[in-house]
């Protein structure tokens, strides 16, 4: 937005002029505005915004979390609309902005907040909320003001979101529907909480204890928003760590590019079908994404080798679960995902690696990832072979259920794909060498016949629609396990 379009300039100018016109009634003689309350609220909001510009405190102040909105909403509940909108202007003009042009963004933010407060105060008035008529105290009738207060908070949220959609449409040419339809639904509950806090501030402000008592509402609200902002930063850092590890694996083993993300997605489908808790589903997603991170410890010449692996090279490949576990050992937020990374090549019949665990001794998350890993390995087109049809891969998983895979996980994947479908992708940019179908002798599944087979794609009716596609001939004994090592 450094080069602001003329339409955006005009939009901001209209917002500023609207703010000025709506504020004029407060400046008329005899308007009966409680200027002391207005000045205190404006000063409090500006004081809350200032630390965000401090070089030492700025990164820890949760401005984006809306932690100061209760002050603005308290103004909407304490003052007439024409005076309430003035409360936001000083704080918005001194607040922090992330991108240039800073001055224009501050002016826009001031006008946007002022109009939102005016809308909240007007809605509060229309539904019977009591504003202080003059400089003296006028106690708010609680709890009768809960409904007007909630309506005022919703109006505040709606005006903010609509104005934001307008500036995005004029400045960045974002469709209006995309700019407000989703965000307004996600913002309703937080703004209701801010509205309740603002209403409590207003009630205490008009109580015999006066305005200092209102600060006791703002303090816990600010602390909770600060904690949320810290959690959001930590989560962002976690995701960046995972992306970096996955990217490193994809760079090293270009034949399986994108495989990790799809295994994470398939693992989530299985976990949801099993009815696992949301926090465990997130951990299992991490496990699926990072299951092959141990390949960072495998020599590149082995990962990219064309042709059969020697027994020694195969033993090196089979060390990657242990390498992966060592790499993520110190990442505490992964939880049981670390066990999945270590054991996702175990088999329920006890013949897997690295420790030969069997049955329920294999961690549940590892059994989930094992099925997701094998499914994507079979249905992905790679430089050394073509993808198998989804239906063929599911048949193979069902054949291996009870020996290589946990039947519960296989059946959960079948049900999930029947409901949601699956989009396969090519995971290598390299062309398939003429006449070459196998890069190495990693474990494969039964033969696919050389004649055309039925490829199944998910249809809108939720079932599998058949389409003819020629298959690739690939040799391999029927007893080999499914998926790549």
């Amino acid at each position: 937005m450094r080069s602001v379009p003329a339409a955006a300039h005009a939009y901001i100018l209209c917002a500023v002029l609207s703010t000025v016109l709506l504020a004029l009634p407060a400046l008329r003689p005899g308007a009966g505005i409680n200027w002391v309350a207005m000045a205190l609220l404006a000063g409090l909001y500006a004081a809350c915004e200032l630390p965000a510009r401090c070089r030492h405190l700025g990164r820890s102040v949760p401005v984006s979390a809306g932690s100061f909105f209760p002050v603005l909403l308290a103004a909407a509940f304490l003052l007439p609309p024409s005076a309430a909108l003035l409360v936001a202007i000083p704080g918005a003009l001194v607040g922090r902005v992330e991108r240039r042009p800073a001055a224009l963004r501050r002016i826009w933010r001031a006008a946007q907040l002022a109009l939102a407060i005016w809308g909240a105060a007007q809605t509060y008035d229309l539904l019977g909320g009591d504003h202080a008529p003059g400089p003296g105290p006028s106690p708010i009738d609680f709890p009768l003001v809960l409904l007007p207060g909630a309506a005022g908070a919703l109006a505040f949220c709606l005006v903010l979101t609509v104005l934001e959609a307008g500036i995005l449409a004029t400045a960045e040419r974002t469709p209006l529907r995309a700019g407000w339809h989703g965000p307004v639904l996600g913002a309703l509950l937080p703004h209701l909480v801010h509205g309740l806090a603002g209403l409590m501030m207003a009630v205490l402000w008009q109580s015999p204890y006066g305005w200092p008592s209102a600060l006791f509402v703002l303090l816990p609200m600010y602390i909770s928003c600060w904690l949320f902002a810290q959690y959001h930063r930590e989560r962002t850092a976690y995701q960046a760590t995972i992306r970096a590890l996955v990217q490193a694996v994809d760079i090293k083993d270009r034949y399986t590019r994108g495989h990790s993300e799809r295994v994470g997605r398939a693992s989530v489908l299985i976990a949801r079908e099993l009815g696992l808790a949301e926090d465990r589903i997130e951990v299992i997603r991490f496990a699926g994404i990072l299951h092959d991170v141990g390949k960072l410890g495998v020599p590149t010449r082995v990962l990219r080798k064309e042709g059969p692996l020697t027994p020694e090279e195969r033993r090196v490949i089979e060390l990657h679960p242990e390498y992966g576990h060592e790499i993520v050992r110190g990442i505490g937020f992964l939880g049981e995902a670390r066990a999945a990374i270590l054991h996702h090549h175990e088999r329920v019949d006890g013949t897997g690696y690295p420790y030969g665990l069997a049955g329920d001794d294999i961690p549940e998350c590892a059994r989930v990832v094992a099925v997701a890993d094998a499914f994507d390995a079979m249905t992905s087109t790679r430089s050394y072979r073509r993808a198998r049809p989804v239906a063929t891969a599911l048949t193979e998983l069902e054949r291996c259920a009870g020996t290589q895979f946990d039947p519960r996980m296989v059946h959960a994947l079948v049900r999930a794909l029947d409901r949601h479908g699956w989009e396969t992708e090519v995971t290598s940019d390299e062309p398939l060498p003429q006449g070459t179908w196998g890069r190495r002798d990693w474990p494969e599944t039964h033969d696919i016949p050389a004649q055309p087979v039925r490829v199944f794609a998910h249809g809108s009716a939720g079932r599998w629609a058949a389409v003819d596609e020629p298959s690739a001939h690939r040799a391999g004994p029927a007893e080999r396990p499914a998926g790549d090592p």
Side-chain angles (χ1 to χ4, degrees):
M1 193 173 165
R2 290 188 179 183
S3 179
V4 183
H9 278 286
Y11 185 79
I12 294 172
L13 180 60
C14 288
V16 172
L17 291 177
S18 299
T19 300
V20 172
L21 290 175
L22 293 174
L24 288 178
L27 305 178
R28 291 200 310 259
I33 303 299
N34 189 338
W35 292 107
V36 174
M38 196 280 290
L40 285 172
L41 286 165
L44 178 60
Y45 179 65
C48 289
E49 289 281 4
L50 276 174
R53 299 188 67 178
C54 176
R55 183 172 58 185
H56 302 292
L57 299 177
R59 293 188 177 274
S60 61
V61 175
V63 175
S64 60
S67 52
F68 313 134
F69 283 173
V71 178
L72 302 180
L73 289 164
F77 302 145
L78 284 168
L79 302 170
S82 58
L85 65 84
L86 297 173
V87 170
I89 295 174
L93 292 178
V94 301
R96 183 179 68 188
V97 293
E98 300 292 342
R99 292 181 293 170
R100 296 180 180 179
L104 187 62
R105 288 179 181 275
R106 289 193 179 98
I107 291 171
W108 160 247
R109 183 65 171 164
Q112 181 188 27
L113 289 175
L115 293 174
I117 296 171
W118 184 89
Q122 194 72 25
T123 304
Y124 181 76
D125 271 357
L126 290 174
L127 293 180
D130 295 325
H131 285 120
S138 176
I140 293 176
D141 193 2
F142 186 84
L144 297 180
V145 292
L146 280 174
L147 179 59
L154 291 177
F156 181 82
C157 172
L158 184 61
V159 174
L160 271 183
T161 308
V162 170
L163 289 174
E164 188 70 20
I167 195 63
L168 290 175
T170 55
E172 301 179 7
R173 294 177 175 81
T174 302
L176 281 173
R177 180 179 178 83
W180 78 273
H181 183 265
V184 72
L185 296 176
L188 284 177
L189 182 59
H191 280 88
L192 281 174
V193 174
H194 295 151
L196 179 61
L199 189 60
M200 293 301 98
M201 285 187 67
V203 169
L204 290 172
W205 193 292
Q206 295 297 89
S207 73
Y209 302 103
W211 67 266
S213 62
L215 300 181
F216 288 99
V217 176
L218 184 62
L219 183 61
M221 189 74 180
Y222 178 83
I223 292 174
S224 65
C225 288
W226 181 83
L227 292 174
F228 177 81
Q230 293 298 106
Y231 166 77
H232 181 71
R233 286 192 190 93
E234 288 181 3
R235 183 177 176 81
T236 301
Y238 295 161
Q239 292 173 344
T241 300
I242 290 173
R243 281 196 302 270
L245 289 172
V246 171
Q247 187 176 23
V249 174
D250 286 348
I251 290 172
K252 186 164 187 175
D253 188 7
R254 61 182 181 271
Y255 293 104
T256 58
R257 189 173 302 137
H259 170 66
S260 298
E261 293 289 345
R262 290 194 303 278
V263 172
R265 191 165 76 240
S267 298
V268 168
L269 289 177
I270 296 171
R272 289 194 190 283
E273 196 66 34
L274 294 173
L276 302 185
E278 283 299 320
D279 56 343
R280 289 197 69 201
I281 291 175
E282 182 71 358
V283 170
I284 287 174
R285 185 177 75 87
F286 288 153
I289 292 173
L290 292 174
H291 74 286
D292 272 345
V293 70
K295 287 184 178 179
L296 292 174
V298 177
T300 305
R301 62 175 179 80
V302 176
L303 289 175
R304 297 187 179 184
K305 182 178 180 181
E306 302 287 345
L309 297 176
T310 66
E312 293 76 15
E313 289 169 337
R314 185 174 183 82
R315 281 194 290 271
V316 171
I317 285 285
E318 291 182 353
L319 288 174
H320 81 269
E322 295 176 272
Y323 291 155
H325 184 259
E326 287 301 314
I327 289 172
V328 302
R329 181 191 292 274
I331 305 178
F333 73 88
L334 289 177
E336 64 176 328
R338 290 171 291 186
I341 293 169
L342 178 61
H343 297 295
H344 71 278
H345 278 299
E346 304 284 3
R347 295 170 50 116
V348 295
D349 62 4
T351 62
Y353 62 89
Y355 298 130
L357 301 183
D360 291 340
D361 290 337
I362 305 171
E364 185 178 40
C365 57
R367 284 177 271 150
V368 170
V369 172
V371 172
D373 182 23
F375 172 74
D376 184 70
M378 287 188 286
T379 57
S380 298
T381 295
R382 301 182 180 176
S383 63
Y384 53 91
R385 60 157 172 78
R386 292 183 182 176
R388 300 186 185 196
V390 168
T392 303
L394 293 179
T395 299
E396 181 64 14
L397 289 174
E398 289 174 332
R399 184 183 73 85
C400 297
T403 55
Q404 183 176 355
F405 306 115
D406 186 329
R408 285 179 58 239
M409 311 309 172
V410 173
H411 297 155
L413 179 62
V414 172
R415 293 194 304 269
L417 293 182
D418 191 52
R419 184 178 298 114
H420 303 290
W422 184 257
E423 182 179 351
T424 59
E425 301 176 20
V426 176
T427 57
S428 177
D429 299 330
E430 298 187 7
L432 194 66
Q434 186 69 28
T436 302
W437 294 105
R439 169 169 65 97
R440 49 198 174 194
D441 61 345
W442 287 11
E444 290 288 357
T445 51
H446 63 289
D447 290 351
I448 297 178
Q451 65 270 18
V453 298
R454 305 290 280 176
V455 177
F456 292 84
H458 192 263
S460 58
R463 302 304 300 172
W464 301 97
V467 183
D468 282 332
E469 179 180 285
S471 73
H473 174 72
R474 187 169 41 75
E479 68 274 12
R480 285 184 178 179
D484 288 340

